[in-house]
CSV table of all heavy atoms in Angstrom, one decimal:
chain,number,residue,atom,x,y,z
A,167,ILE,N,-4.7,-9.6,-25.7
A,167,ILE,CA,-5.0,-10.7,-24.7
A,167,ILE,C,-4.8,-10.0,-23.3
A,167,ILE,O,-3.7,-9.5,-23.0
A,167,ILE,CB,-4.0,-11.9,-24.8
A,167,ILE,CG1,-4.0,-12.5,-26.3
A,167,ILE,CG2,-4.3,-12.9,-23.7
A,167,ILE,CD1,-5.3,-13.2,-26.6
A,168,THR,N,-5.7,-10.0,-22.4
A,168,THR,CA,-5.7,-9.4,-21.2
A,168,THR,C,-5.6,-10.4,-20.0
A,168,THR,O,-6.3,-11.3,-20.1
A,168,THR,CB,-6.9,-8.3,-20.9
A,168,THR,OG1,-7.0,-7.5,-22.1
A,168,THR,CG2,-6.9,-7.7,-19.6
A,169,TYR,N,-4.7,-10.2,-19.2
A,169,TYR,CA,-4.5,-11.0,-18.0
A,169,TYR,C,-5.0,-10.3,-16.8
A,169,TYR,O,-4.7,-9.0,-16.6
A,169,TYR,CB,-3.1,-11.4,-17.8
A,169,TYR,CG,-2.5,-12.0,-19.1
A,169,TYR,CD1,-1.7,-11.3,-20.0
A,169,TYR,CD2,-2.8,-13.4,-19.4
A,169,TYR,CE1,-1.1,-11.9,-21.1
A,169,TYR,CE2,-2.3,-14.0,-20.5
A,169,TYR,CZ,-1.4,-13.2,-21.4
A,169,TYR,OH,-1.0,-13.8,-22.6
A,170,THR,N,-5.7,-10.9,-15.8
A,170,THR,CA,-6.1,-10.3,-14.6
A,170,THR,C,-5.9,-11.2,-13.5
A,170,THR,O,-6.1,-12.3,-13.5
A,170,THR,CB,-7.7,-10.0,-14.7
A,170,THR,OG1,-8.0,-9.4,-15.9
A,170,THR,CG2,-8.2,-9.3,-13.5
A,171,ALA,N,-5.3,-10.5,-12.4
A,171,ALA,CA,-5.1,-11.3,-11.0
A,171,ALA,C,-5.7,-10.5,-9.9
A,171,ALA,O,-5.4,-9.2,-10.0
A,171,ALA,CB,-3.6,-11.6,-11.0
A,172,SER,N,-6.1,-11.1,-9.0
A,172,SER,CA,-6.6,-10.4,-7.7
A,172,SER,C,-6.0,-11.2,-6.5
A,172,SER,O,-5.8,-12.4,-6.5
A,172,SER,CB,-8.0,-10.2,-7.7
A,172,SER,OG,-8.7,-11.4,-7.6
A,173,ASP,N,-5.8,-10.5,-5.4
A,173,ASP,CA,-5.3,-11.1,-4.2
A,173,ASP,C,-6.4,-11.2,-3.1
A,173,ASP,O,-7.6,-10.7,-3.5
A,173,ASP,CB,-4.1,-10.3,-3.7
A,173,ASP,CG,-4.3,-8.8,-3.2
A,173,ASP,OD1,-5.5,-8.5,-3.1
A,173,ASP,OD2,-3.5,-8.2,-3.0
A,174,ALA,N,-6.2,-11.7,-2.0
A,174,ALA,CA,-7.2,-11.9,-1.1
A,174,ALA,C,-7.8,-10.5,-0.4
A,174,ALA,O,-8.9,-10.6,0.1
A,174,ALA,CB,-6.6,-12.7,0.1
A,175,SER,N,-7.1,-9.5,-0.6
A,175,SER,CA,-7.5,-8.3,-0.1
A,175,SER,C,-8.3,-7.5,-1.1
A,175,SER,O,-9.0,-6.4,-0.8
A,175,SER,CB,-6.1,-7.5,0.2
A,175,SER,OG,-5.4,-7.8,1.2
A,176,GLY,N,-8.4,-8.1,-2.3
A,176,GLY,CA,-9.3,-7.4,-3.5
A,176,GLY,C,-8.4,-6.5,-4.3
A,176,GLY,O,-9.1,-5.9,-5.2
A,177,ASN,N,-7.3,-6.4,-4.2
A,177,ASN,CA,-6.4,-5.6,-5.1
A,177,ASN,C,-6.3,-6.4,-6.5
A,177,ASN,O,-6.0,-7.5,-6.4
A,177,ASN,CB,-5.0,-5.4,-4.5
A,177,ASN,CG,-5.1,-4.7,-3.3
A,177,ASN,OD1,-5.6,-3.7,-3.1
A,177,ASN,ND2,-4.4,-5.4,-2.3
A,178,ILE,N,-6.6,-5.5,-7.6
A,178,ILE,CA,-6.7,-6.3,-8.7
A,178,ILE,C,-5.5,-5.7,-9.7
A,178,ILE,O,-5.3,-4.5,-9.8
A,178,ILE,CB,-8.0,-5.9,-9.6
A,178,ILE,CG1,-9.1,-6.5,-8.7
A,178,ILE,CG2,-8.0,-6.4,-11.0
A,178,ILE,CD1,-10.5,-6.2,-9.1
A,179,ALA,N,-4.8,-6.5,-10.5
A,179,ALA,CA,-3.8,-6.1,-11.4
A,179,ALA,C,-4.3,-6.6,-12.9
A,179,ALA,O,-5.0,-7.7,-13.1
A,179,ALA,CB,-2.5,-6.8,-11.2
A,180,MET,N,-3.9,-5.8,-13.9
A,180,MET,CA,-4.2,-6.2,-15.3
A,180,MET,C,-2.9,-6.1,-16.1
A,180,MET,O,-2.2,-5.1,-15.8
A,180,MET,CB,-5.4,-5.4,-15.8
A,180,MET,CG,-6.7,-5.7,-15.1
A,180,MET,SD,-7.9,-4.7,-15.8
A,180,MET,CE,-8.3,-5.6,-17.2
A,181,ALA,N,-2.7,-6.8,-16.9
A,181,ALA,CA,-1.6,-6.7,-17.9
A,181,ALA,C,-2.1,-7.2,-19.3
A,181,ALA,O,-3.0,-8.0,-19.4
A,181,ALA,CB,-0.4,-7.6,-17.5
A,182,THR,N,-1.5,-6.6,-20.5
A,182,THR,CA,-2.0,-6.9,-21.7
A,182,THR,C,-0.8,-7.3,-22.7
A,182,THR,O,0.3,-6.7,-22.5
A,182,THR,CB,-2.8,-5.7,-22.3
A,182,THR,OG1,-3.8,-5.3,-21.6
A,182,THR,CG2,-3.2,-6.0,-23.8
A,183,ARG,N,-1.0,-8.3,-23.3
A,183,ARG,CA,-0.2,-8.8,-24.4
A,183,ARG,C,-0.9,-8.5,-25.9
A,183,ARG,O,-2.0,-8.7,-26.0
A,183,ARG,CB,0.0,-10.3,-24.4
A,183,ARG,CG,0.9,-10.8,-25.5
A,183,ARG,CD,0.7,-12.4,-25.8
A,183,ARG,NE,0.9,-13.2,-24.5
A,183,ARG,CZ,2.3,-13.5,-24.2
A,183,ARG,NH1,3.3,-13.2,-24.9
A,183,ARG,NH2,2.5,-14.2,-23.1
A,184,THR,N,-0.1,-7.7,-26.7
A,184,THR,CA,-0.7,-7.3,-28.0
A,184,THR,C,0.0,-8.3,-29.0
A,184,THR,O,1.1,-8.4,-29.1
A,184,THR,CB,-0.4,-5.9,-28.3
A,184,THR,OG1,-1.0,-5.0,-27.3
A,184,THR,CG2,-0.8,-5.4,-29.7
A,185,VAL,N,-0.9,-8.9,-29.7
A,185,VAL,CA,-0.4,-9.9,-30.7
A,185,VAL,C,-0.8,-9.2,-32.1
A,185,VAL,O,-1.8,-8.9,-32.5
A,185,VAL,CB,-1.2,-11.2,-30.6
A,185,VAL,CG1,-0.8,-12.2,-31.6
A,185,VAL,CG2,-0.9,-11.9,-29.2
A,186,MET,N,0.2,-9.2,-33.0
A,186,MET,CA,0.0,-8.8,-34.3
A,186,MET,C,-0.1,-9.9,-35.2
A,186,MET,O,0.8,-10.9,-35.2
A,186,MET,CB,1.2,-8.0,-34.8
A,186,MET,CG,1.5,-6.6,-33.9
A,186,MET,SD,0.1,-5.6,-34.1
A,186,MET,CE,0.0,-5.3,-35.9
A,187,VAL,N,-1.1,-9.9,-36.1
A,187,VAL,CA,-1.2,-10.9,-37.2
A,187,VAL,C,-0.8,-10.2,-38.5
A,187,VAL,O,-1.4,-9.2,-38.8
A,187,VAL,CB,-2.7,-11.4,-37.2
A,187,VAL,CG1,-2.8,-12.4,-38.4
A,187,VAL,CG2,-3.1,-12.2,-36.0
A,188,ASN,N,0.3,-10.8,-39.0
A,188,ASN,CA,0.9,-10.1,-40.3
A,188,ASN,C,-0.1,-10.0,-41.4
A,188,ASN,O,-0.9,-10.9,-41.5
A,188,ASN,CB,2.1,-10.8,-40.7
A,188,ASN,CG,3.2,-10.6,-39.6
A,188,ASN,OD1,3.4,-9.6,-38.9
A,188,ASN,ND2,4.2,-11.6,-39.5
A,189,ASN,N,0.0,-9.1,-42.2
A,189,ASN,CA,-0.8,-8.9,-43.4
A,189,ASN,C,-0.1,-9.6,-44.6
A,189,ASN,O,0.2,-9.0,-45.5
A,189,ASN,CB,-0.9,-7.3,-43.8
A,189,ASN,CG,-1.9,-7.2,-44.8
A,189,ASN,OD1,-2.6,-8.0,-45.2
A,189,ASN,ND2,-2.0,-5.9,-45.3
A,190,ASN,N,0.0,-11.0,-44.4
A,190,ASN,CA,0.6,-11.8,-45.4
A,190,ASN,C,-0.3,-13.1,-45.7
A,190,ASN,O,0.3,-14.0,-45.9
A,190,ASN,CB,2.0,-12.2,-45.1
A,190,ASN,CG,2.0,-13.0,-43.8
A,190,ASN,OD1,1.0,-13.1,-43.1
A,190,ASN,ND2,3.2,-13.4,-43.4
A,191,CYS,N,-1.6,-12.8,-45.7
A,191,CYS,CA,-2.5,-13.9,-46.0
A,191,CYS,C,-2.3,-14.4,-47.3
A,191,CYS,O,-2.2,-13.6,-48.4
A,191,CYS,CB,-4.0,-13.5,-45.7
A,191,CYS,SG,-4.4,-13.0,-44.1
A,192,PRO,N,-2.4,-15.8,-47.6
A,192,PRO,CA,-2.3,-16.2,-48.9
A,192,PRO,C,-3.6,-15.7,-49.7
A,192,PRO,O,-4.7,-15.7,-49.2
A,192,PRO,CB,-2.5,-17.8,-48.8
A,192,PRO,CG,-2.2,-18.0,-47.3
A,192,PRO,CD,-2.5,-16.8,-46.6
A,193,GLY,N,-3.4,-15.1,-50.9
A,193,GLY,CA,-4.4,-14.5,-51.7
A,193,GLY,C,-5.2,-15.8,-52.3
A,193,GLY,O,-4.7,-16.9,-52.6
Side-chain angles (χ1 to χ4, degrees):
I167 305 291
T168 302
Y169 306 103
T170 306
S172 62
D173 62 20
S175 298
N177 301 305
I178 299 172
M180 297 178 75
T182 302
R183 175 194 304 274
T184 300
V185 178
M186 295 298 301
V187 176
N188 290 327
N189 189 9
N190 61 354
C191 294

